């Protein structure tokens, strides 16, 4: 007698941690499991609204008595992905602004001057620094490259730095990009380290957990670090990959982890 045996169907699964965007506290996170198609296209640092079913599961074995919450996601909606593409209305508004400020293309430099005047109005003077911040924000977004005549590639991403004496308003300039786009990030180098601003992999009871910093959350956006020189020199190298390659730096183990 031949018995039919139906093999079980397996679906891809991905376990991640969600963080409240209002607090950004690493100690108050929620574990989420994406199944099937929802596990594809998940990227670090994106704002997402998840709907699913919550379970309370034992942690560290049944005899440990410890419990933790995990959410099995049914649907996921990424809030920022819809804002990446420039709409036709945006193009029309920009064209109208350029025509007015440049007098129908007669003086193109006047458009930049008007934008500089509108940038960070609370900061007096520093027109050169404001113009640099404008170029940095304009270069953000998908890091597309264009091919030159001889075949080499050219990137759009810019890297900049503000240097000056205290009290000139550099911090206010660095905080301005957050007001223009919620994807832009700001961090202080006085209370941070290279690993906390980039990413670190820690070993916990449920496995290895990747905890990301503000740099990894700045997806296709501007990332500003105030007092960057306060970060130890050996840790400043962690930002090299992100600055030059436009990608999240390699994960780093926490102290004491193998």
């Amino acid at each position: 007698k031949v018995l039919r045996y139906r093999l079980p169907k397996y679906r891809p699964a991905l376990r991640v941690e969600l963080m409240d965007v209002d607090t950004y506290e690493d100690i108050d996170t929620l574990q989420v499991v994406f199944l099937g198609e929802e596990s594809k296209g998940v990227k670090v640092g994106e704002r997402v609204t998840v709907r699913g079913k919550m379970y309370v599961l034992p942690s560290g074995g049944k005899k440990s008595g410890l419990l933790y919450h995990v959410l099995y996601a049914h649907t996921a909606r990424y809030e920022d992905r819809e804002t990446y593409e420039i709409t036709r209305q945006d193009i029309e508004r920009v064209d109208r602004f350029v025509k007015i400020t440049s007098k129908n293309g007669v003086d193109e430099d006047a458009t930049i001057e008007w934008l500089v005047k509108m940038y960070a109005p609370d900061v007096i003077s520093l027109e050169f620094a404001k113009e640099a911040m404008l170029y940095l924000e304009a270069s953000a977004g998908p890091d597309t490259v264009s091919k030159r005549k001889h075949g080499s590639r050219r990137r759009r991403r810019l890297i900049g730095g503000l240097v000056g004496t205290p009290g000139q308003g550099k911090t206010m300039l660095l905080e301005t990009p957050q007001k223009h786009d919620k994807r832009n990030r700001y961090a202080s180098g006085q209370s941070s380290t290279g690993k906390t601003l980039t990413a670190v992999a820690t070993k916990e009871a449920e496995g290895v957990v990747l905890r990301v910093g503000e740099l990894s959350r700045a997806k296709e956006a501007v990332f500003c670090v105030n007092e960057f020189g306060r970060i130890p020199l050996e840790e400043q190298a962690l930002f090299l990959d992100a600055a030059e390659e436009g990608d999240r730096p390699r994960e780093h183990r926490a102290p004491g982890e193998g």
Side-chain angles (χ1 to χ4, degrees), residues 39-55:
S39 64
K40 300 179 181 179
V42 178
K43 295 183 179 180
V44 174
E46 290 190 304
R47 296 165 61 97
V48 59
T49 301
V50 180
R51 299 183 63 181
K53 190 172 183 179
M54 185 80 71
Y55 291 89

Side-chain angles (χ1 to χ4, degrees), residues 29-217:
T29 59
L30 175 64
Q31 292 195 27
V32 179
V33 177
F34 292 96
L35 301 173
E37 294 296 326
E38 296 295 342
S39 64
K40 300 179 181 179
V42 178
K43 295 183 179 180
V44 174
E46 290 190 304
R47 296 165 61 97
V48 59
T49 301
V50 180
R51 299 183 63 181
K53 190 172 183 179
M54 185 80 71
Y55 291 89
V56 180
L57 304 177
S59 176
K62 297 182 179 179
K63 296 182 180 180
S64 64
L66 301 177
L67 302 174
Y68 73 99
H69 293 80
V70 59
L71 177 66
Y72 282 82
H74 296 162
T75 59
R77 180 174 61 88
Y78 296 91
E79 300 179 5
D80 294 341
R81 290 187 179 181
E82 298 177 357
T83 63
Y84 288 174
E85 298 295 333
I86 299 177
T87 63
R88 182 180 298 273
Q89 291 77 10
D90 295 332
I91 297 176
E92 292 176 354
R93 285 195 290 265
V94 171
D95 289 339
R96 186 166 59 252
F97 177 81
V98 172
K99 289 180 180 179
I100 295 174
T101 56
S102 64
K103 300 178 181 180
N104 293 325
V106 176
D107 187 4
E108 297 181 354
D109 293 336
T111 301
I112 302 298
E113 295 177 1
W114 271 99
L115 291 174
V116 171
K117 293 178 181 179
M118 298 167 58
Y119 195 92
D122 295 336
V123 180
I124 301 175
S125 187
L126 298 182
E127 284 78 11
F128 184 78
K130 293 180 180 180
E131 185 175 354
M133 294 295 296
L134 277 173
Y135 294 148
L136 289 174
E137 291 198 48
S139 69
D143 194 23
T144 56
V145 293
S146 59
K147 289 186 177 181
R148 300 175 180 175
K149 295 182 179 179
H150 49 78
S152 63
R153 294 178 177 270
R154 179 173 54 192
R155 70 185 186 191
R156 293 178 49 188
R157 182 177 62 262
L158 296 178
I159 306 170
L162 300 180
V163 181
T165 58
Q168 291 185 331
K170 299 187 299 298
T171 300
M172 298 178 65
L173 287 180
L174 295 177
E175 294 175 344
T176 301
Q178 290 187 117
K179 304 176 183 179
H180 298 159
D181 195 321
K182 59 185 177 182
R183 291 171 294 175
N184 296 334
R185 300 293 181 183
Y186 168 84
S188 175
Q190 292 179 328
S191 58
S192 306
T193 63
K195 294 181 179 179
T196 58
L197 291 178
T198 54
V200 57
T202 59
K203 191 173 183 180
E204 299 183 0
E206 293 78 16
V208 179
V209 177
L210 177 64
R211 301 192 180 277
V212 299
E214 293 293 337
L215 174 61
S216 299
R217 299 190 185 104

